[in-house]
Amino acid sequence: MAKIIYVAIGNEILIGKIINTNESFIGTRLTSAGIPLESSMTIKDDKEIIMKTLEDCWEHYDVVIVTGGLGPTHDDVTKYAICDLFNKELHFDSSVWEAIQKMYEMKDTPLPEIVKTQAEIPQEFTPLPNKKGTAPGLYYSANNKHFFALPGVPSEMKSMFVEHVIPILQKNFSAHPIFQKTIRTIGIPESALYTDTQNVQETAQTKIAFLPKSGMVDIRVYGTSEQEIEEIITKFLKKIPSKNIYGFDDDTIEELFHKKMIASRKTISAAESCTGGLIQSLITDNAGSSEYFLGGVVSYSNEAKMKLLGVKESTLEKFGAVSEDTVREMVLGVQELMGCDYAIAVSGIAGPDGGTDDKPVGLVYIVTFGKTGLVITKNNFSGTRIEVKMKTALTAMHQLAINT
Amino acid sequence: MAKIIYVAIGNEILIGKIINTNESFIGTRLTSAGIPLESSMTIKDDKEIIMKTLEDCWEHYDVVIVTGGLGPTHDDVTKYAICDLFNKELHFDSSVWEAIQKMYEMKDTPLPEIVKTQAEIPQEFTPLPNKKGTAPGLYYSANNKHFFALPGVPSEMKSMFVEHVIPILQKNFSAHPIFQKTIRTIGIPESALYTDTQNVQETAQTKIAFLPKSGMVDIRVYGTSEQEIEEIITKFLKKIPSKNIYGFDDDTIEELFHKKMIASRKTISAAESCTGGLIQSLITDNAGSSEYFLGGVVSYSNEAKMKLLGVKESTLEKFGAVSEDTVREMVLGVQELMGCDYAIAVSGIAGPDGGTDDKPVGLVYIVTFGKTGLVITKNNFSGTRIEVKMKTALTAMHQLAINT
């Protein structure tokens, strides 16, 4: 199997200013192609360090993929380090230059002089077309080894990676894919899920990983064939209540919600307090959500709850804004206001302040009106304000999705 | 200066399932402490690979910081690799065990048997307390070199890093900080900003970086003293209109908005169409936003615009939902509905569908009602649906923030 290393070049990553999402993209695409990453590195955009690191990688790996430092400005030195490493000169590539000129013509903006250096590439390197920017990718191969230098800007890197890097690697390396499938769960703590499925884990011959995130837990099953995985998955599914499984692999609660709502042919609306608009924002992240989502209300203050949703002052006084009675009146209020079929309402304490012994930070009431009518749950979420908001939003969307 | 490497252990990162946000956190904190990262790596959670990599790092670096693989399950092998590398045995640490028991007592949940292995640590290693989980950090020092193994779960790693790792490093290495300051801009394209400030860039002796993100551009200035940086910053500030500068360093538009609103002692509300609740969600991400934010409306459908906000049917028919006239009626409508002082309303085409020649995807009208009354802007944002939503939200919040 090919040994592949990914090297990100950029001080911005090392000083923590940028989160390197390219690593995750490259990792995902290589894994799907059956030629997963062996390791990855991040190094400074210093010409000497780049040269030394790449020299080391070129010696120990079959494939070296570099991103970053290909731009036209003074801190872009990757191309020069590559020339030194492989002992090549830069030469002017007129096909690259034509592509750059054409791109500027299309955009109808003047072409800065500095951009012309982008057409200079190391001799014997193949330029890889850049659909979204001016810096071409650079590809070199020798002794069955493969070297790629790609732009660091994610949108430029991604299309180049999919269209050029993956095909070259697939042509040169026979893939020995490791299969995997993930069960995505919500509403059961990791430790309970682990204990409940201990038997299944013990009988499985291959690797199983538990991956908790945002109050949800993924169970990932690895194997050497799809059949082997399916057998283990089937055993897991017998041990976990189906209402706690929201999907497989890359399925998300947002997508499940979207599909369920489209299929239901019902309209919905939401009344949000502690989530402050997040539920509706997640719903409208889905293109096509206007088919079922009418809009709704962020009833952050008590006044808004009363005025827009008709929550009774006496309810707020007697039970408080964070109570079963209040969310019930909120959901009925937003249904009447918007004239929708289904609805969601939430009220809780996102923190960090505002908690009491009776009603601690993280206490959230979620009410959904779906196929079988009202469902009200009392939840205790842990985490920061932002995490409590997100857990509330996803739990609420899931609660409605399984009742449509 | 100390040479520091960070090694993340985890297949989940390499196969692209998890984005490694720990890298950014560690990078930021080390940079602030004046002892920045030299490089970082991600490797598989395979005991042999871990041992070999760490051996190499321990030879070439002064400080090795490892995260991940410290949990109690079978795929957590970091501790065993460390024992092999440093030739140490595991021993049971009763102080760690007491801390774990206490944590479970506080949570009032039963303690799983498997957790007891967390109290086993390599001999001569110092356990670092874990406030948020059961796995202690592990610290070892020899020959002026320092080795840290920390949990991979971000919340556990972060508090341990700040409370234990940073103080140990600061005690052992005298920092030679590289100073930096960032000017954060919105509303000017990178190329225009670059051209407009070319003189300043040419006179500066130290490094300057342009960092575009989400329609905003950061200009980062590096230097060997604060004074040197301030001189360059001052020159930049003379070339960039102040309305396009929303802050410095880690300032965000969300925070600027929050501070301005708190200071204004005014109440606000929002009526959102294409952003679908995102503006209100960003506002309520700020703890304390209830002081000024009353709530608002997500008027996604035309019906909601008419019914909740009193937008006239004739306006929607004549000019369309995405028009200056509609957003003007939306903002006045939400002010009347909520009884607030200031307000924001947006309507646009987030895409990917729904664009026309006249009204392409990315066209967004933003209206704010602030100190000087109504301000309406017509914007053309590029990017995906999610990006257009985010650019709209931040531009709208900035537009109101500079008019309070």
Side-chain angles (χ1 to χ4, degrees):
Chain A
M1 177 127 85
K3 277 183 73 182
I4 307 184
I5 188 164
Y6 163 54
V7 182
I9 291 167
N11 292 346
E12 297 305 320
I13 299 168
L14 289 170
I15 65 171
K17 205 65 204 180
I18 289 179
I19 291 173
N20 186 12
T21 54
N22 287 343
E23 182 181 33
S24 153
F25 179 86
I26 289 174
T28 307
R29 293 308 175 118
L30 288 175
T31 303
S32 308
I35 36 175
L37 267 182
E38 173 80 18
S39 47
S40 89
M41 289 190 78
T42 309
I43 59 173
K44 290 186 184 176
D45 47 13
D46 170 290
K47 196 177 146 198
E48 282 308 303
I49 292 176
I50 296 173
M51 212 196 101
K52 215 176 147 306
T53 306
L54 295 185
E55 189 170 27
D56 215 52
C57 294
W58 186 241
E59 190 186 330
H60 292 103
Y61 290 84
D62 303 309
V63 179
V64 180
I65 300 165
V66 181
T67 63
L70 289 184
T73 66
H74 56 85
D75 51 353
D76 293 304
V77 295
T78 304
K79 198 158 67 178
Y80 307 101
I82 291 172
C83 283
D84 285 2
L85 167 60
F86 292 102
N87 207 10
K88 309 283 179 203
E89 300 283 326
L90 288 178
H91 75 106
F92 187 80
D93 186 304
S94 52
S95 71
V96 172
W97 180 229
E98 276 164 28
I100 293 172
Q101 287 175 307
K102 209 167 159 189
M103 172 172 285
Y104 273 83
E105 271 166 33
M106 297 271 288
K107 289 201 295 185
D108 201 21
T109 47
L111 204 164
E113 185 60 28
I114 195 175
V115 169
K116 198 164 183 180
T117 62
Q118 301 283 54
E120 293 170 3
I121 68 168
Q123 278 176 325
E124 293 175 48
F125 274 62
T126 308
L128 306 176
N130 185 341
K131 273 186 176 172
K132 313 264 172 122
T134 55
L138 302 172
Y139 168 57
Y140 178 70
S141 176
N143 308 321
N144 292 323
K145 294 191 173 209
H146 302 266
F147 183 96
F148 299 90
L150 311 174
V153 178
S155 61
E156 299 181 23
M157 185 280 291
K158 284 178 183 176
S159 63
M160 200 181 284
F161 195 81
V162 171
E163 287 171 35
H164 301 288
V165 179
I166 290 283
I168 290 171
L169 293 179
Q170 281 181 321
K171 208 179 70 187
N172 283 282
F173 299 98
S174 62
H176 300 285
I178 293 167
F179 294 91
Q180 53 167 281
K181 187 164 175 175
T182 305
I183 305 171
R184 315 205 75 172
T185 75
I186 183 170
I188 307 179
E190 185 189 9
S191 54
L193 206 54
Y194 193 84
T195 310
D196 293 351
T197 60
Q198 200 117 33
N199 288 345
V200 182
Q201 296 169 56
E202 281 160 10
T203 59
Q205 300 289 313
T206 59
K207 196 166 162 173
I208 289 157
F210 283 70
L211 312 164
K213 201 191 159 196
S214 289
M216 302 178 286
V217 180
D218 285 352
I219 302 173
R220 180 155 316 132
V221 177
Y222 299 85
T224 50
S225 74
E226 285 186 7
Q227 196 193 341
E228 182 186 18
I229 291 176
E230 285 303 332
E231 282 169 16
I232 303 170
I233 293 275
T234 306
K235 288 182 189 170
F236 269 112
L237 296 185
K238 283 181 186 155
K239 296 281 182 186
I240 306 166
S242 64
K243 72 173 174 54
N244 295 105
I245 296 170
Y246 67 85
F248 296 93
D249 296 328
D250 293 328
D251 292 348
T252 63
I253 286 175
E254 295 93 314
E255 283 168 4
L256 172 74
F257 180 89
H258 186 66
K259 276 185 215 156
K260 289 278 201 173
M261 285 309 308
I262 293 277
S264 74
R265 300 176 164 274
K266 304 285 185 186
T267 56
I268 80 144
S269 181
E272 303 185 56
S273 188
C274 63
T275 43
L278 180 60
I279 295 173
Q280 298 173 78
S281 184
L282 291 176
I283 290 173
T284 57
D285 279 351
N286 290 301
S289 49
S290 55
E291 275 191 42
Y292 56 84
F293 178 65
L294 304 180
V297 164
V298 179
S299 52
Y300 212 57
S301 61
N302 279 351
E303 289 66 34
K305 290 181 186 72
M306 293 187 284
K307 195 170 170 192
L308 297 179
L309 301 172
V311 173
K312 290 196 231 64
E313 190 165 8
S314 59
T315 306
L316 291 168
E317 274 172 11
K318 196 166 167 192
F319 303 104
V322 180
S323 66
E324 201 177 308
D325 296 80
T326 297
V327 286
R328 187 186 293 116
E329 292 184 18
M330 282 170 71
V331 83
L332 298 175
V334 81
Q335 281 185 294
E336 192 175 323
L337 179 71
M338 305 294 299
C340 55
D341 303 314
Y342 293 164
I344 296 174
V346 299
S347 186
I349 299 156
D353 305 318
T356 63
D357 282 354
D358 273 5
K359 295 185 178 178
V361 168
L363 173 67
V364 180
Y365 287 92
I366 297 175
V367 55
T368 47
F369 191 98
K371 197 170 60 180
T372 65
L374 279 183
V375 176
I376 304 187
T377 58
K378 180 183 176 181
N379 305 270
N380 285 286
F381 296 118
S382 61
T384 62
R385 180 180 179 87
I386 309 283
E387 286 165 351
V388 170
K389 282 181 69 177
M390 185 55 82
K391 287 178 184 180
T392 301
L394 294 175
T395 304
M397 289 168 77
H398 181 251
Q399 185 172 309
L400 180 58
I402 60 176
N403 188 19
T404 59
Chain B
M1 176 126 85
K3 276 184 73 180
I4 307 183
I5 187 164
Y6 162 54
V7 182
I9 291 168
N11 292 347
E12 297 307 320
I13 299 168
L14 288 171
I15 64 171
K17 205 65 203 179
I18 289 179
I19 291 174
N20 186 13
T21 55
N22 287 342
E23 182 182 32
S24 153
F25 180 85
I26 289 174
T28 306
R29 293 307 175 118
L30 288 175
T31 303
S32 307
I35 36 174
L37 267 182
E38 172 79 16
S39 49
S40 89
M41 288 190 79
T42 309
I43 58 172
K44 289 186 182 177
D45 47 14
D46 170 289
K47 196 177 146 197
E48 282 308 303
I49 292 176
I50 296 174
M51 214 197 99
K52 217 179 145 305
T53 306
L54 294 184
E55 190 171 25
D56 214 53
C57 293
W58 187 241
E59 190 187 329
H60 292 103
Y61 290 84
D62 304 308
V63 179
V64 180
I65 300 166
V66 181
T67 63
L70 289 183
T73 66
H74 57 86
D75 52 351
D76 293 305
V77 295
T78 304
K79 197 157 68 177
Y80 308 101
I82 291 172
C83 284
D84 285 0
L85 168 60
F86 292 103
N87 207 9
K88 309 284 180 204
E89 299 284 323
L90 287 178
H91 76 106
F92 187 81
D93 186 304
S94 53
S95 71
V96 172
W97 178 229
E98 275 164 30
I100 292 173
Q101 286 175 309
K102 209 167 159 186
M103 173 171 283
Y104 272 84
E105 271 165 33
M106 297 270 288
K107 287 201 298 185
D108 202 20
T109 45
L111 203 163
E113 186 60 27
I114 195 175
V115 170
K116 199 164 183 179
T117 61
Q118 300 283 54
E120 294 170 1
I121 69 167
Q123 279 176 325
E124 293 174 48
F125 274 63
T126 307
L128 305 176
N130 186 340
K131 275 187 173 172
K132 313 264 173 123
T134 55
L138 303 171
Y139 168 58
Y140 178 70
S141 176
N143 307 320
N144 292 322
K145 292 192 173 208
H146 302 266
F147 183 96
F148 299 89
L150 310 174
V153 178
S155 61
E156 300 182 21
M157 184 280 290
K158 285 179 184 176
S159 64
M160 198 180 283
F161 194 82
V162 172
E163 286 171 36
H164 302 287
V165 179
I166 290 284
I168 290 171
L169 292 179
Q170 282 182 321
K171 209 177 70 187
N172 283 282
F173 298 99
S174 63
H176 300 285
I178 293 168
F179 295 92
Q180 53 166 281
K181 187 164 176 177
T182 305
I183 305 171
R184 313 204 77 172
T185 75
I186 183 170
I188 307 178
E190 184 190 9
S191 55
L193 207 53
Y194 193 86
T195 310
D196 292 351
T197 61
Q198 200 117 34
N199 286 347
V200 182
Q201 297 170 55
E202 281 161 8
T203 60
Q205 299 290 312
T206 60
K207 198 169 161 173
I208 289 157
F210 283 71
L211 312 163
K213 201 190 160 198
S214 289
M216 302 179 287
V217 180
D218 285 353
I219 302 174
R220 179 154 318 129
V221 178
Y222 300 85
T224 51
S225 75
E226 285 186 9
Q227 196 192 341
E228 182 186 19
I229 290 176
E230 284 304 332
E231 282 170 17
I232 303 171
I233 293 276
T234 307
K235 287 182 190 168
F236 269 111
L237 296 185
K238 283 181 188 155
K239 295 281 182 184
I240 307 167
S242 63
K243 73 173 173 56
N244 295 106
I245 296 171
Y246 66 86
F248 296 93
D249 296 329
D250 293 327
D251 292 347
T252 63
I253 286 175
E254 296 93 314
E255 283 167 6
L256 172 74
F257 181 88
H258 185 66
K259 278 185 213 153
K260 289 278 199 172
M261 284 308 308
I262 293 279
S264 75
R265 299 176 166 272
K266 302 288 185 184
T267 57
I268 79 141
S269 182
E272 302 184 56
S273 187
C274 62
T275 44
L278 180 61
I279 294 172
Q280 298 174 77
S281 184
L282 291 176
I283 291 173
T284 57
D285 279 352
N286 290 300
S289 49
S290 54
E291 275 191 43
Y292 55 85
F293 178 64
L294 305 180
V297 164
V298 180
S299 52
Y300 212 56
S301 61
N302 278 350
E303 289 66 34
K305 289 181 186 73
M306 292 187 284
K307 195 170 171 192
L308 298 179
L309 302 172
V311 173
K312 290 198 233 58
E313 190 166 8
S314 59
T315 306
L316 291 168
E317 273 171 12
K318 195 165 167 193
F319 303 105
V322 180
S323 66
E324 200 177 309
D325 296 80
T326 296
V327 288
R328 186 186 292 117
E329 292 184 19
M330 283 171 69
V331 83
L332 298 175
V334 81
Q335 281 185 296
E336 191 173 324
L337 180 72
M338 306 295 298
C340 56
D341 303 314
Y342 293 165
I344 296 173
V346 299
S347 186
I349 299 156
D353 305 317
T356 62
D357 282 354
D358 273 5
K359 297 186 177 178
V361 168
L363 173 68
V364 180
Y365 287 92
I366 297 175
V367 55
T368 48
F369 190 100
K371 197 171 62 180
T372 63
L374 279 182
V375 176
I376 304 186
T377 58
K378 180 183 176 180
N379 304 270
N380 285 288
F381 296 119
S382 61
T384 63
R385 180 180 178 87
I386 309 282
E387 286 164 351
V388 169
K389 281 181 69 178
M390 184 56 80
K391 288 178 184 180
T392 301
L394 294 175
T395 304
M397 290 169 77
H398 181 253
Q399 185 172 311
L400 180 57
I402 59 174
N403 188 18
T404 59

